Amino acid sequence: LAVALVAALRECLRSNVRLQQAKQQHQRTRLELEQQRQNLQSHVDDLLTKTTVLEKAPFGIVIADTNQEDMPIVYANDAFCRITGYGRAEVLGRNCRFLTGPETDAVASANIRQALAAHAPIEVEVLNYRRDGAKFCNRLLLFPCFNQAGALSHYVGCIYDITDFKLATQEKKRLESELQESLKLESLSLTIAGIAHDLNTPVGIALTASSHLGKTVRQMQEKAAQGPASPEELEHWAATLDRGSKLVLNNLGKAADLVRSFKQTTSDATRVEWRKVVLKELLESLLVAISPLMKRSQCEVSLLCPEHLTLFTEPGSVSQVLTNLMVNASIHAFEGRQDRRICIEVTPHADGVRIVVQDNGNGLSQEAVTKAFE
């Protein structure tokens, strides 16, 4: 009996040890399960946060599975559905090609295929189509996602509808073009007014001289009808005709120079064409064309330019810029000043030239400086 009791006691002790070990293992298991639960909850919360971010993003997001045939979409956020007009059920399981259409740029599509084949990110503008067939300009960003083993698992695509931005950009370019045209017309109108004013002097002198020549010829005809003229009379008439003809030729030459310069300036201003020009000749012609404006503003204009400096350029734009600078200076720079000078200095610079237009006027206010390039 004593032996049996000792054996039972030993078994009880061993059972108690096993129970203690089991209890400890159970506690460890509970702790591990609790830790796993907390980790899982953290992953769920993190995933929920990320999903919320994806859903609330203002731009479209899709995720495509690269391990499935034809890389179907497995996720699309609300913004993607809103931009494209497709419901989520219509999107999932399809390749993104359903957004393309007849006017989608083949080059952009080829670039996307090359990036996908190379497992590389890409950002590209591409024309896509909504569910109702309406076109929209899409700035597409694609980037690959790799798993822990380093294998490609998914592609994430972000789409931005930049249609309004593109339209605004086009409208801005149109307005800038209209502004440039209006500046050209304003510059031309000022030049035309100046040329017309300056032509009055030589043309008026030529008309007066030709009228005097006509009067002299009639006097000669009347004298010839009365009889032979004396040598003194012939000498007087010859001198009068010589002076008158020289006066007519000289002033008509001045008028012709003005018209020629004006013709070249207006031709350059209205043509968008690149050609070789001798820069000094172009600038001298321009200065002749705007000389009436400078005279009226009492501005002295000097030109420092190397001889025979030839450029391949767009003369119209060069003329327009310089005309605007000088006209603006003549109108705004010299208030309250008697000494009014504008200097154009040309120096070779790198693979072109540097043209400096400088005046000795009042300068620009700080406010004007900040808006100088608007």
Side-chain angles (χ1 to χ4, degrees), residues 209 212-213 236-249:
H212 184 66
L213 286 174
H236 171 71
W237 287 333
T240 300
L241 293 174
D242 182 61
R243 287 195 304 272
S245 63
K246 288 181 179 178
L247 198 60
V248 170
L249 286 173

Side-chain angles (χ1 to χ4, degrees), residues 82 88 134 207 249 333:
R82 184 175 64 253
R88 204 181 304 257
L207 285 174
L249 286 173

